[in-house]
Amino acid sequence: MLSYLAAALPEDTSAAARLLALQCALRMNTHMRISLSKGVMRSLRLDAAPGPWAELEHARWLRTAPGRTADEIAAELLDVTLLGQAPARPDRRRAADWALRAGSPSAARAIGPLPRLASVYLAAHTDPESGIGQDDFDQMARACGAQTAELSSMLDQLVASRSLASWRACPDTGDLQWTLQAARESALTVASGQ
């Protein structure tokens, strides 16, 4: 879904709007309608931010609708191609919950929407057994709506905040390689025999 959204949303779409679009795409019903609770919005750290909704409306990707209650925000998605991209609804809902957790490591929460979106991207492209991932650096920048220089700085922030153990850009291939912090800590625990 991250790859699809990278192609479907305008290039200048902010990381906050991309986080919101990801949750909307994964939580939509068969009529392309979505109701996000204020709790989900708080988890995304977007509860008081009307900007991402307005940005997606301006891009003609969704149209907000009056919510059923004061505790939710309702919208209709306008990108009919999403119906062909998405797996079955139960799988999408599990993916939405996973993306919410993957984008909310304790350190990334305080940093902002771009590190949270990058955390989701990195987790989705990491081998779950080794905690090591590799992908095209430019592709990650497109999926996160970031310039490569901005992405490099943000990856350094994730390392400093201990969400990411390490990363490097391979000069020959342009690939990005990384190790998630949880995998590194797990390997150190196994090596020390604890």
Side-chain angles (χ1 to χ4, degrees):
M1 190 57 72
L2 289 167
S3 297
Y4 175 76
L5 291 173
L9 294 172
E11 197 172 302
D12 62 345
T13 303
S14 71
R18 288 173 188 274
L19 271 173
L20 179 59
L22 178 63
Q23 285 297 314
C24 288
L26 292 173
R27 293 178 187 270
M28 72 177 183
N29 66 20
T30 56
H31 301 289
M32 298 188 64
R33 292 191 179 95
I34 180 73
S35 293
L36 289 182
S37 72
K38 297 287 179 148
V40 169
M41 296 303 292
R42 278 190 301 277
S43 294
L44 290 170
R45 303 294 190 260
L46 300 175
D47 55 321
W53 290 100
E55 194 174 340
L56 293 173
E57 276 190 301
H58 182 71
R60 292 183 166 85
W61 194 79
L62 62 71
R63 177 177 36 240
T64 55
R68 288 187 292 234
T69 70
D71 292 333
E72 68 182 10
I73 300 172
E76 178 183 1
L77 304 184
L78 303 175
D79 183 357
V80 295
T81 312
L82 276 171
L83 290 173
Q85 299 297 318
R89 190 155 194 235
D91 293 335
R92 286 187 286 113
R93 290 188 69 85
R94 278 192 296 278
D97 290 339
W98 174 87
L100 202 56
R101 286 189 307 279
S104 296
S106 58
R109 286 183 200 164
I111 299 173
L114 180 56
R116 289 193 309 272
L117 182 60
S119 293
V120 173
Y121 186 92
L122 293 170
H125 292 85
T126 298
D127 176 12
E129 290 184 22
S130 68
I132 297 172
Q134 179 173 327
D135 204 2
D136 184 76
F137 198 80
D138 291 333
Q139 186 173 340
M140 182 180 178
R142 271 191 307 282
C144 292
Q147 301 297 318
T148 50
E150 182 182 18
L151 191 59
S152 296
S153 173
M154 186 276 314
L155 289 167
D156 287 340
Q157 286 178 350
L158 287 177
V159 169
S161 69
R162 301 188 48 122
S163 295
L164 189 62
S166 64
W167 74 275
R168 72 181 188 106
C170 300
D172 297 336
T173 62
D175 283 348
L176 171 65
Q177 296 176 336
W178 64 88
T179 303
L180 295 181
Q181 184 65 31
R184 183 178 188 191
E185 289 170 359
S186 177
L188 290 174
T189 301
V190 170
S192 67
Q194 297 177 353

